Amino acid sequence: MNALVLAELRLKHAALTERAERLEQRWRTLPPTAKAVALGKEIKILREQAKDYGKLLDLAEAS
Protein backbone atom coordinates (compact mmCIF):
# COMPACT_ATOMS: atom_id res chain seq x y z
CA MET A 1 0.00 0.00 0.00
CA ASN A 2 1.13 3.52 -0.57
CA ALA A 3 2.36 5.81 2.17
CA LEU A 4 -0.79 7.94 2.15
CA VAL A 5 -3.06 4.98 2.90
CA LEU A 6 -0.74 3.81 5.68
CA ALA A 7 -0.71 7.29 7.18
CA GLU A 8 -4.51 7.46 7.06
CA LEU A 9 -4.78 4.09 8.80
CA ARG A 10 -2.34 5.20 11.50
CA LEU A 11 -4.23 8.46 11.98
CA LYS A 12 -7.63 6.76 12.25
CA HIS A 13 -6.25 4.18 14.69
CA ALA A 14 -4.69 6.88 16.86
CA ALA A 15 -7.83 9.05 16.77
CA LEU A 16 -10.08 6.18 17.83
CA THR A 17 -7.71 5.17 20.61
CA GLU A 18 -7.43 8.73 21.90
CA ARG A 19 -11.20 9.29 21.83
CA ALA A 20 -11.79 6.05 23.73
CA GLU A 21 -9.22 7.07 26.36
CA ARG A 22 -10.76 10.53 26.80
CA LEU A 23 -14.26 9.08 27.12
CA GLU A 24 -13.03 6.48 29.59
CA GLN A 25 -11.59 9.21 31.81
CA ARG A 26 -14.96 10.94 31.78
CA TRP A 27 -16.79 7.64 32.28
CA ARG A 28 -14.83 6.89 35.45
CA THR A 29 -16.15 10.08 37.08
CA LEU A 30 -19.83 9.37 36.35
CA PRO A 31 -22.18 7.79 38.86
CA PRO A 32 -23.65 4.43 37.80
CA THR A 33 -26.52 5.68 35.66
CA ALA A 34 -27.94 4.91 32.23
CA LYS A 35 -25.67 7.60 30.79
CA ALA A 36 -22.62 5.85 32.21
CA VAL A 37 -23.75 2.53 30.76
CA ALA A 38 -24.25 4.10 27.33
CA LEU A 39 -20.84 5.74 27.51
CA GLY A 40 -19.26 2.42 28.49
CA LYS A 41 -20.81 0.78 25.43
CA GLU A 42 -19.50 3.56 23.20
CA ILE A 43 -16.02 3.14 24.66
CA LYS A 44 -16.17 -0.60 23.96
CA ILE A 45 -17.19 0.04 20.35
CA LEU A 46 -14.41 2.60 19.87
CA ARG A 47 -11.80 0.21 21.29
CA GLU A 48 -13.02 -2.56 18.96
CA GLN A 49 -12.81 -0.20 15.98
CA ALA A 50 -9.31 0.88 16.98
CA LYS A 51 -8.30 -2.77 17.29
CA ASP A 52 -9.68 -3.47 13.81
CA TYR A 53 -7.74 -0.54 12.36
CA GLY A 54 -4.64 -1.82 14.12
CA LYS A 55 -5.08 -5.20 12.44
CA LEU A 56 -5.59 -3.54 9.05
CA LEU A 57 -2.47 -1.49 9.62
CA ASP A 58 -0.44 -4.58 10.49
CA LEU A 59 -1.66 -6.32 7.34
CA ALA A 60 -0.95 -3.29 5.19
CA GLU A 61 2.56 -2.87 6.56
CA ALA A 62 3.29 -6.58 6.08
CA SER A 63 2.42 -6.46 2.38
Side-chain angles (χ1 to χ4, degrees):
M1 293 200 157
N2 65 29
L4 179 60
V5 173
L6 290 174
E8 289 175 352
L9 286 173
R10 285 186 196 104
L11 180 63
K12 186 68 173 178
H13 178 261
L16 287 168
T17 302
E18 180 190 359
R19 183 155 190 255
E21 288 173 2
R22 279 188 286 118
L23 288 178
E24 187 171 357
Q25 289 174 354
R26 192 172 121 214
W27 173 75
R28 291 187 184 278
T29 64
L30 293 175
T33 60
K35 184 176 181 178
V37 171
L39 193 57
K41 288 179 183 179
E42 184 177 351
I43 291 167
K44 182 179 177 183
I45 290 168
L46 288 171
R47 293 216 184 271
E48 289 173 359
Q49 289 176 348
K51 184 178 175 182
D52 291 343
Y53 272 94
K55 288 179 184 177
L56 284 173
L57 187 56
D58 289 343
L59 289 172
E61 288 175 339
S63 62

